[in-house]
Amino acid sequence: MFVDSHCHLNFPEYAQTLDQVRADMAEARVDKALCISTTLEEFPQVQALAGRYDNFWATVGVHPDNEGVQEPTVEDLVERSRLPRVVGIGETGLDYHRLGERSVADMAWQRERFRVHVRAARQTGLPLVIHTREASADTLAILQEEGEGQVRGVFHCFTETEAVARAALDLGFFISFSGILTFKNAVELREVARFVPLNRCLIETDSPYLAPTPHRGKTNSPAYVSLVARQLAAIKGCDEAEVGRVTTENFEQLFSLVRCS
């Protein structure tokens, strides 16, 4: 009934609990999960999860926050994208939240890394999984420059403004909402969710982070994506089953999956 379109189940938090995580998913009617790569070094673990379980898929990419890791080339990403059950490029994008003593100009390496991912997406035809934080203008500009209308994907864990959502939608991207949507102080984000058409929405957990209310502060789980669906249903004035149906169809359309009955 539901799909967790973004989680990190290879992370240490799940080393001893993955069987329970999967049981909880089944009980919550979470049928599928997309396991997200954040470095090339961890990618074999991510891809192995997708190979081991028939309701998991994988992406390949290097998160913009990760420094001191193997820097990807277009060829690195394209080669790995050909492996079984790899359906997307990312997580990639820009993040200016932790600049510290640095300026935006100092983040040229991050922008170049993002360009590499966009070029790989163009070459493979796979969708991009976009992370953007306090960097939406540059994120959108690079997508326009490098993508030239030839790339698609999703802005994951969306926390930006309605104007950014509109620009992303105009580029043909989907918008994914996480457990943040359930947080008491996320009033403006709920208004953005009201604006985004349901047929352009995905839902996610970003596990192990950002557990939704009432589990906030605990280790997140793909099972909790049902709580995101419940909140989105309340915003849209429909039932959870409709949110589950439409967001699942959106996920399968974006990542070109054969629909499972």
Side-chain angles (χ1 to χ4, degrees), residues 60-176:
V60 57
V62 181
H63 192 289
D65 267 345
N66 284 330
E67 300 183 57
V69 297
Q70 181 181 344
E71 199 62 41
T73 65
V74 173
E75 293 73 22
D76 289 331
L77 297 172
V78 169
E79 178 183 3
R80 288 163 175 79
S81 75
R82 296 191 180 115
L83 292 172
R85 303 184 70 77
V86 178
V87 296
I89 303 293
E91 144 179 27
T92 182
L94 300 174
D95 193 320
Y96 297 161
H97 179 68
R98 296 183 182 90
L99 289 178
E101 304 267 328
R102 298 176 293 189
S103 68
V104 169
D106 294 328
M107 307 306 284
W109 62 271
Q110 203 179 80
R111 291 186 287 277
E112 179 56 30
R113 177 186 288 176
F114 183 28
R115 290 179 186 276
V116 165
H117 285 75
V118 180
R119 292 165 191 162
R122 285 193 63 178
Q123 188 167 326
T124 61
L126 293 177
L128 286 161
V129 177
I130 301 293
H131 169 110
T132 185
R133 190 175 187 190
E134 299 178 21
S136 58
D138 283 353
T139 301
L140 291 165
I142 289 173
L143 284 173
Q144 291 171 324
E145 292 166 15
E146 293 286 349
E148 296 182 354
Q150 303 300 309
V151 295
R152 57 202 173 97
V154 56
F155 277 61
H156 108 90
C157 194
F158 196 84
T159 55
E160 303 292 331
T161 64
E162 182 177 315
V164 175
R166 186 185 303 274
L169 292 170
D170 287 346
L171 286 173
F173 279 70
F174 286 79
I175 305 292
S176 182

Side-chain angles (χ1 to χ4, degrees), residues 111-257:
R111 291 186 287 277
E112 179 56 30
R113 177 186 288 176
F114 183 28
R115 290 179 186 276
V116 165
H117 285 75
V118 180
R119 292 165 191 162
R122 285 193 63 178
Q123 188 167 326
T124 61
L126 293 177
L128 286 161
V129 177
I130 301 293
H131 169 110
T132 185
R133 190 175 187 190
E134 299 178 21
S136 58
D138 283 353
T139 301
L140 291 165
I142 289 173
L143 284 173
Q144 291 171 324
E145 292 166 15
E146 293 286 349
E148 296 182 354
Q150 303 300 309
V151 295
R152 57 202 173 97
V154 56
F155 277 61
H156 108 90
C157 194
F158 196 84
T159 55
E160 303 292 331
T161 64
E162 182 177 315
V164 175
R166 186 185 303 274
L169 292 170
D170 287 346
L171 286 173
F173 279 70
F174 286 79
I175 305 292
S176 182
F177 296 102
S178 71
I180 294 174
L181 200 64
T182 71
F183 293 179
K184 184 177 180 180
N185 62 352
V187 177
E188 292 181 5
L189 182 61
R190 285 189 281 275
E191 287 305 307
V192 174
R194 194 183 314 277
F195 161 74
V196 178
L198 186 58
N199 66 0
R200 301 292 293 280
C201 289
L202 298 180
I203 52 176
E204 65 171 273
T205 62
D206 203 11
S207 296
Y209 311 115
L210 303 174
T213 304
H215 305 289
R216 191 172 180 181
K218 301 176 183 178
T219 299
N220 207 349
S221 167
Y224 297 160
V225 80
S226 59
L227 299 175
V228 182
R230 180 181 302 171
Q231 180 67 73
L232 188 57
I235 292 166
K236 295 294 189 185
C238 62
D239 59 33
E240 294 171 49
E242 179 70 1
V243 169
R245 181 185 67 79
V246 176
T247 57
T248 295
E249 289 176 353
N250 294 345
F251 177 82
E252 292 172 343
Q253 172 194 336
L254 177 61
F255 293 102
S256 302
L257 304 187

Side-chain angles (χ1 to χ4, degrees), residues 37-56:
S37 168
T38 65
T39 66
L40 293 183
E41 289 87 344
E42 75 166 0
F43 169 74
Q45 303 167 15
V46 176
Q47 198 260 338
L49 281 174
R52 189 176 309 139
Y53 302 108
D54 64 4
N55 62 336
F56 287 176

Side-chain angles (χ1 to χ4, degrees), residues 29-42:
R29 296 179 293 172
V30 180
D31 301 320
K32 303 176 181 69
L34 183 59
C35 300
I36 302 294
S37 168
T38 65
T39 66
L40 293 183
E41 289 87 344
E42 75 166 0

